[in-house]
Amino acid sequence: MREKIRIGLALGGGAVRGAAHIGVLEVLDEAGLEPSIVTGTSVGALVGALYAKGMTAAEIAEVAQTLRWSRLVRPGMTRKALFETSKLAAFLEHTLDGADFKDLARPFAAVACDLATGREVVMRDGPVASAVLASAAIPGVFPPVDRDGHLLVDGGLVTMVPARLAREMGADIVVAVDVSGPLPRRPPTTLVHVMVAVSTLQPGGGDPLEEDADLVLNPEVDAYAFWELSRIPAFEESGRAAAEKALPVLRALVAAAEARRDWLRSL
């Protein structure tokens, strides 16, 4: 049987806009171009973890439709954050069935930022739920997560879309999905909205995403804000549209990778 080209999918941070990732997954699955490797930051880590566990895009969409901020977080003004996330942690543990990275159906990694050093931390072992919680811990909004001796916060501070990581994990082709910007047409009106918006701004000093990925998808997500759960279906549709538009390019990349592999083996 001919070995399949390994597609790596790197899903970026962007709060509720990350619902666009679901639409991308739906199109890739329907086209027979299912990712073999998944990496994610923040909401990308959440969607990526569910997919890596074996859930379909439709099943992830069903989960997304049940989300309400009141069911995930509650005010808990402390010295570290505005909200308390025990309900979010319980939701993640339940939805992921307490999975460990080694139990996942396909290779997956999540990215967070070490609050002590400012460096990227890649999580590929241990409980998946705590890794996702750490990757999405927006500083000041959600408390940092103590994991494996590191105090971790939102991975978007260091790597908004972990495309290079997907390559390092063995992907032949890397598809990156960036839902971080531009800022919403409707400006933030509260402190929390401002902090969420700021957390999605691209970190400076890094290499352009195009240098790490073979294909970059930028779903049109600026019509609605990062925090609008009611707009999840619209974000999903934006992801579907971006993926469908890119399908001819992705198929060409796969064909080229297959041809190159066959040529190298014939030498």
Side-chain angles (χ1 to χ4, degrees):
M1 184 176 179
R2 193 180 193 189
E3 184 181 351
K4 188 177 181 180
I5 293 297
R6 291 163 62 87
I7 297 174
L9 184 65
L11 304 176
V16 180
R17 287 177 168 183
H21 297 322
I22 302 171
V24 171
L25 285 169
E26 184 178 62
V27 171
L28 296 183
D29 284 352
E30 290 174 352
L33 297 168
E34 302 92 344
S36 300
I37 296 166
V38 185
T39 61
T41 295
S42 197
V43 67
L46 171 57
V47 176
L50 295 175
Y51 186 73
K53 186 180 180 298
M55 293 180 68
T56 66
E59 290 170 335
I60 299 173
E62 288 181 8
V63 171
Q65 287 302 313
T66 69
L67 299 181
R68 302 291 183 274
W69 287 119
S70 60
R71 298 177 186 174
L72 299 175
V73 298
R74 58 187 174 191
M77 184 77 72
T78 68
R79 295 173 63 184
K80 293 184 178 180
L82 295 175
F83 291 91
E84 193 269 331
T85 54
S86 61
K87 292 164 70 174
L88 176 58
F91 163 78
L92 292 172
E93 189 70 20
H94 171 74
T95 307
L96 290 162
D97 294 327
D100 191 283
F101 275 84
K102 68 179 185 298
D103 303 322
L104 298 177
R106 46 175 57 87
F108 168 68
V111 172
C113 174
D114 188 320
L115 194 56
T117 65
R119 295 178 179 174
E120 176 188 79
V121 173
V122 175
M123 296 168 285
R124 294 187 60 183
D125 53 36
V128 180
S130 67
V132 173
L133 187 66
S135 185
I138 301 171
V141 179
F142 303 142
V145 175
D146 192 346
R147 192 177 191 275
D148 298 330
H150 298 277
L151 197 59
L152 303 177
V153 291
D154 196 306
L157 294 175
V158 284
T159 308
M160 186 61 75
V161 187
R164 182 177 299 177
L165 176 59
R167 183 90 65 194
E168 292 170 353
M169 290 172 64
D172 299 305
I173 296 170
V174 176
V175 178
V177 187
D178 185 2
V179 295
S180 63
L183 292 177
R185 298 173 193 171
R186 183 165 64 82
T189 57
T190 70
L191 173 61
V192 172
H193 293 170
V194 170
M195 294 173 76
V196 172
V198 168
S199 74
T200 65
L201 296 176
Q202 294 282 9
D207 295 328
L209 186 55
E210 288 77 7
E211 293 186 10
D212 297 326
D214 300 289
L215 179 62
V216 180
L217 305 185
N218 298 103
E220 295 184 5
V221 292
D222 64 319
Y224 306 112
F226 300 98
W227 48 85
E228 293 186 273
L229 287 171
S230 63
R231 303 299 185 178
I232 283 177
F235 289 137
E236 289 178 12
E237 181 55 39
S238 70
R240 280 192 291 270
E244 287 171 353
K245 185 177 180 180
L247 273 182
V249 177
L250 181 54
R251 288 195 175 104
L253 287 169
V254 170
E258 289 174 338
R260 177 176 175 78
R261 180 188 60 193
D262 293 344
W263 175 68
L264 289 173
R265 288 179 175 175
S266 70
L267 297 178

